[in-house]
């Protein structure tokens, strides 16, 4: 079960924002080499409040504001990591990470390899991603595929406060560069794609407790967000909640895998589930063509071919820029997942 | 409706595309270089403000005059031992380059880049730093490694990508990495290291360390966005970093005017960012050492960054894949008004009785032999493309700290 499901006693109710802040607080306290910086991250505490209070607590040498320069933030973080710090750098929106792409892919991802292991890039780039918030073209994107494609990076995306804290702590402690994608749609509460229904805040959610202190959720390990036997839905981030809602709505016994670590990933979890169910849907917000779903489909085909009883379906964002007015025509909500489940079960 | 004060018609616009003054078969007019006589430019105090250095960025700091005498405010207090060490390192760098060029022509390696004519800059700055400072070089600062007496055999093994290559055959020749010698891993992507140097310097400041960083970029690569980011961050956080711009007039085939050097200097840019900036004769070892020492003192005194434009000339081809006779006069380097850095230091040292023609020739001969011996020893570990190369299994290591499952599977697929 996903962390939040298994952790409904003890701990403190936290939103994903509070959980992420707690992770940084814990690591700033625990390791003198951890520094946190980015646009509006210091005094103001971040445009999403994820770093609220950290500068006051740890000082400007540890938590500070940065110029509006994503390549500068990334390059400076890489230099700091080469020195021996563990920077946790924030890119305000994943949509604005592209100026840093050269630094992340050409430099951070390859530092250990090209230097024969002498220089490393033990750092984390945190960045809010995903749609479902009327963010339009440049506040909604899900660029995980371009990072999953870059050798040397780890790409991680949590779907709930417990995992968010545990995965961020594990990412900060990890010695490889980590792209830590935070679905901003989930910052304040779970979201199942039913935009016409009232949204539940994390505080109202029954299983929202997060330990105050140190713990981690290991990288490269998926979670079973919903157990089932009829088919497997492989997903991550906001669409974990969409998949669960779709299964409940349609009364289909779907197994929902929350990948958590996109790459490197937990292949065993995928293979075990698909071999059990024989049917598979890949679900993500990002656009379809050459999206991360294509890699997931290929892995399922390679490893589960003789167990498959139907073609693997992809439910994804359309191959268009993320629109504003057509938000709910674009976002892969429960009805599209239900349609796909019915097609997969018909075969 | 436009204002009646704005003319309704005007001459057609035209795009200005800068050109060098000479192409093959012609003679370069070097008057575009704003030169100053040796000794003419002030030496400000290390706590100078950026704006106070503005006049200096249109002038040129030089110590050695045409007679080889050290003159002016930047001439004081340079140990003879430093100068002799610099001469040795410059000669060794040139000998190394010459031999590696031959090795590339003999197909012992795929690629090489010389720093012919630019030896003084990397050598001079390295001698002005502490051993534990970190330099973020481009591919044309091999003089740093030679000055620090890194094993030539080790360096050549990297160039040959052989079984003893410290980078395990993964990197293009000359993309060295020597953490223990304060020499950051070279990347093929231009200017990326410039902002990384600033980040390293910020880290040193965060930790209350006393080490500083140096950043290196060529004239052409100043056009990259990371140059702008580096200057901004260095200024914002007052990072202890020396920001070097090696203006060798050429970026492969493009003259420095195409990089934005026309009617301005690269040093002038630093002032715009609020960074004290100098423009220095890059072929004058005494000026290089003095300016580098000044900038290092500023950084180490928490006074922040310094930008230095080194005016020099790329005397050789861009790389072994380049033929400069296709875009510039063949004899351009001989006419460059700042001459050759080795010749100029030699003249100075001889004049002061510290050196002689005979010593010069003897040392050159010794260094040629030393480099050749190093090459022969390196060759015993294999050449590019030989069986004696880094094992294929090494290809899969160091992508991550621990090899993930998918790379283990791929390694097994290859059968190594």
């Amino acid at each position: 079960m996903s962390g939040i499901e298994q952790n409904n006693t003890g701990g403190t109710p936290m939103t994903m924002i509070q959980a992420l802040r707690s992770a940084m607080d814990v690591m700033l306290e625990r390791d003198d080499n951890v520094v946190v910086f980015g646009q509006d991250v210091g005094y103001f505490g971040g445009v999403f409040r994820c770093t609220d209070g950290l500068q006051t607590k740890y000082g400007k040498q540890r938590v500070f504001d940065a110029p509006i320069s994503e390549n500068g933030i990334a390059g400076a973080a890489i230099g700091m990591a080469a020195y021996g710090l563990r920077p946790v750098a924030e890119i305000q929106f994943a949509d604005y990470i592209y100026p840093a792409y050269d630094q992340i892919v050409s430099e951070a991802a390859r530092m250990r390899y090209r230097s024969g292991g002498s220089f490393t890039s033990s750092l984390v780039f945190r960045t809010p991603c995903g749609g479902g918030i009327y963010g339009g073209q440049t506040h909604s994107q899900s660029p995980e595929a371009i990072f999953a494609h870059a050798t040397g990076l780890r790409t991680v995306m949590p779907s709930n406060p417990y995992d968010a804290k545990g995965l961020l702590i594990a990412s900060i402690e990890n010695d490889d560069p980590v792209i830590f994608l935070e679905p901003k749609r989930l910052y304040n509460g779970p979201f199942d794609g039913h935009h016409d229904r009232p949204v539940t805040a994390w505080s109202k959610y029954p299983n929202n407790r997060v330990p105050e202190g140190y713990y981690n959720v290991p990288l490269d390990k998926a979670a079973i967000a919903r157990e089932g036997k009829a088919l497997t839905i492989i997903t991550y981030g906001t669409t974990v909640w969409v998949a669960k809602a779709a299964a409940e709505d349609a009364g289909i016994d779907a197994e929902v895998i929350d990948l958590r670590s996109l790459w490197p990933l937990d292949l065993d979890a995928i293979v075990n589930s698909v071999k059990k169910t024989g049917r598979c849907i890949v679900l993500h917000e990002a656009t379809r063509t050459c999206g991360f779903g294509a890699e997931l489909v290929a892995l399922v085909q390679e490893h589960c071919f003789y167990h498959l009883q139907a073609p693997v379906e992809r439910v994804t964002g359309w191959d268009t820029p993320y629109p504003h007015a057509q938000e709910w025509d674009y976002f892969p909500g429960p009805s599209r997942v239900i349609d796909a489940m019915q097609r997969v079960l018909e075969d | 409706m436009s204002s009646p004060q704005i003319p309704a018609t005007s001459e057609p616009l035209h795009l200005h595309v800068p050109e060098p003054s000479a192409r093959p078969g012609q003679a370069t007019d070097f008057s575009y270089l704003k030169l100053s006589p040796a000794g003419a430019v002030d030496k400000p105090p290390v706590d100078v403000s950026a704006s106070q250095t503005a006049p200096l960025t249109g002038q040129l700091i030089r110590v050695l005059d045409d007679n080889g005498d050290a003159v002016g405010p930047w001439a004081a207090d340079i140990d003879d031992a430093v100068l002799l060490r610099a001469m040795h390192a410059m000669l060794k760098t040139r000998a190394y380059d010459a031999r590696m060029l031959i090795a590339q022509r003999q197909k012992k390696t795929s690629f090489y880049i010389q720093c012919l004519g630019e030896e003084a800059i990397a050598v001079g700055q390295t001698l002005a730093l502490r051993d534990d400072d970190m330099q973020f070089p481009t591919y044309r600062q091999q003089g740093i490694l030679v000055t620090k007496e890194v094993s030539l055999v080790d360096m050549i093994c990297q160039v040959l990508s052989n079984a003893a290559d410290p980078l395990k055959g993964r990197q293009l020749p000359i993309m060295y990495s020597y953490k223990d010698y304060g020499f950051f891993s070279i990347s093929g992507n231009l200017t990326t290291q410039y902002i990384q140097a600033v980040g390293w310097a910020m880290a040193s400041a965060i930790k209350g360390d006393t080490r500083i960083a140096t950043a290196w970029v060529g004239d052409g690569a100043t056009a990259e966005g990371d140059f702008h980011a580096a200057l901004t961050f260095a200024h914002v956080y007052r990072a202890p970093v020396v920001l070097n711009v090696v203006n060798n007039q050429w970026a492969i085939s493009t003259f420095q005017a195409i990089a934005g050097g026309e009617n301005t200097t690269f040093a002038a840019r630093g002032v715009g960012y609020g960074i004290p900036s100098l423009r220095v004769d890059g072929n004058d070892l005494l000026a290089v050492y003095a300016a580098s020492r000044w900038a290092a003192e500023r950084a180490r005194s928490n006074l922040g960054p310094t930008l230095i434009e080194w005016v020099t000339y790329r005397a050789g081809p861009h790389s072994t894949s380049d033929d400069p006779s296709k875009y510039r006069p063949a004899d351009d380097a001989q006419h460059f008004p700042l001459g050759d850095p080795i010749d100029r230091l030699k003249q100075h040292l001889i004049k002061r009785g510290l050196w002689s023609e005979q010593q010069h020739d003897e040392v050159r001969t010794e260094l040629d032999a030393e480099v050749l011996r190093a090459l022969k020893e390196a060759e015993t570990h294999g050449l590019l493309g030989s069986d004696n190369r880094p094992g294929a299994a090494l290809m899969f290591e160091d992508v991550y700290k621990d090899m993930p499952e998918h790379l283990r599977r791929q390694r097994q697929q290859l059968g190594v």
Side-chain angles (χ1 to χ4, degrees), chain B residues 377-410:
Chain B
E377 187 181 335
E379 284 183 33
T380 65
H381 299 289
L383 296 176
L384 178 69
S386 71
D387 289 340
N388 205 6
R389 64 175 181 266
L394 291 169
M395 180 166 64
F396 298 95
E397 293 179 4
D398 296 328
V399 180
Y400 298 88
K401 185 183 183 197
D402 301 310
M403 194 180 296
E405 190 194 336
H406 70 281
L407 285 178
R408 290 186 188 285
R409 279 201 309 274
Q410 289 173 25

Side-chain angles (χ1 to χ4, degrees), chain A residues 244-304:
Chain A
K244 286 168 69 175
E248 300 301 328
D249 290 355
I252 292 172
D253 189 23
E255 180 147 293
V256 178
I257 297 180
D258 178 358
L259 280 179
R260 301 197 288 196
S261 289
L262 275 50
W263 198 264
L265 54 55
D266 185 351
L267 184 63
D268 288 344
I270 293 172
V271 171
N272 290 340
S273 178
V274 176
K275 282 187 174 175
K276 179 176 77 177
T277 63
R279 298 167 199 274
C280 182
I281 291 168
V282 169
L283 169 62
H284 59 57
E285 287 184 58
T287 53
R288 177 169 306 180
T289 303
C290 298
F292 188 55
E295 183 63 32
L296 296 172
V297 172
L299 287 171
V300 169
Q301 188 272 139
E302 284 169 23
H303 294 274
C304 310

Side-chain angles (χ1 to χ4, degrees), chain A residues 1 3 7 27 36 46 55 86 89 114 119 142 145 158 164 174 181 200 202 207 238 241 305 338:
Chain A
M1 298 296 278
N7 199 80
M27 291 311 294
V36 171
Q55 187 179 72
R86 285 188 182 270
R114 79 171 194 229
F119 290 98
S142 298
N174 193 277
L181 296 159
T200 313
W202 287 115
N207 301 327
T238 305
W241 298 91
F305 184 77
I338 291 169

Side-chain angles (χ1 to χ4, degrees), chain A residues 33 65-66 71-72 75-76 79-80 83 102-103 106-107 112-115 118-119 152-153 175-176 263 267, chain B residues 170-171 177 179 185 187 189 192 195-196 199-200 202 207 209 226 233 237 395 397-398 400-401 406 409:
Chain A
N33 288 323
D65 288 313
N71 55 319
M80 290 178 197
Y83 177 94
D102 187 32
Q103 285 287 349
S106 307
E107 302 291 321
R112 182 187 297 277
Y113 191 73
R114 79 171 194 229
S115 69
S118 60
F119 290 98
L153 296 179
D175 291 327
D176 300 319
W263 198 264
L267 184 63
Chain B
R170 296 172 186 151
Q171 266 284 37
S177 175
K179 187 176 187 179
S185 162
S187 167
N189 296 60
T192 49
I195 174 69
Q196 292 165 10
W200 195 98
M202 289 167 66
K207 297 301 280 185
D209 200 343
D226 282 344
F233 277 62
Y237 300 109
M395 180 166 64
E397 293 179 4
D398 296 328
Y400 298 88
K401 185 183 183 197
H406 70 281
R409 279 201 309 274

Side-chain angles (χ1 to χ4, degrees), chain B residues 41-42 44 52-61 74 277-279:
Chain B
V41 179
D42 287 345
Q52 286 172 310
T53 64
L56 276 60
T57 66
Q59 302 172 309
L60 191 69
I61 293 167
W74 292 88
S277 302
L278 307 176
R279 186 166 176 267

Side-chain angles (χ1 to χ4, degrees), chain A residues 26-213:
Chain A
V26 165
M27 291 311 294
L28 280 161
E29 178 80 46
R30 205 175 156 92
D31 184 346
D32 287 343
N33 288 323
V34 172
V35 293
V36 171
F37 73 107
Q39 292 158 23
D40 304 298
V41 157
Y43 180 86
F44 180 57
V47 296
F48 291 108
R49 317 312 302 152
C50 289
T51 54
D52 191 23
L54 295 179
Q55 187 179 72
T56 304
K57 187 167 178 185
Y58 295 98
K60 289 195 292 186
Q61 300 280 302
R62 305 282 307 281
V63 181
F64 51 92
D65 288 313
I68 304 174
S69 171
E70 289 79 10
N71 55 319
I73 290 168
I78 292 164
M80 290 178 197
Y83 177 94
L85 300 189
R86 285 188 182 270
V88 183
E90 179 180 307
I91 303 294
Q92 202 160 80
F93 287 88
D95 314 66
Y96 303 134
I97 204 166
Y98 306 119
Y101 194 61
D102 187 32
Q103 285 287 349
I104 294 171
V105 174
S106 307
E107 302 291 321
R110 301 193 195 145
M111 193 64 70
R112 182 187 297 277
Y113 191 73
R114 79 171 194 229
S115 69
S118 60
F119 290 98
T120 56
S121 282
S122 304
L123 48 76
V124 178
F125 292 110
R126 289 181 45 243
T127 190
C129 71
I133 56 147
Y134 280 110
Q137 290 184 31
T138 56
H139 299 82
S140 306
Q141 294 170 38
S142 298
E144 64 270 16
I146 65 171
F147 296 108
H149 184 62
T151 55
L153 296 179
R154 292 179 177 275
T155 304
V156 174
M157 194 189 301
S159 68
N160 60 71
Y162 181 91
D163 283 355
K165 178 172 175 179
L167 286 169
L168 182 53
I169 287 174
S171 297
I172 295 169
E173 287 186 317
N174 193 277
D175 291 327
D176 300 319
V178 179
I179 306 298
F180 196 87
L181 296 159
E182 303 168 1
K184 67 182 99 61
R185 176 70 246 201
L186 301 179
Y187 268 164
N188 291 305
F191 178 68
D192 60 12
H194 285 295
H195 56 94
D196 48 349
R197 298 179 190 170
V199 173
T200 313
W202 287 115
S203 63
K204 303 283 195 304
Y205 191 80
N207 301 327
N208 66 338
R209 291 177 181 277
V210 176
E212 285 280 355

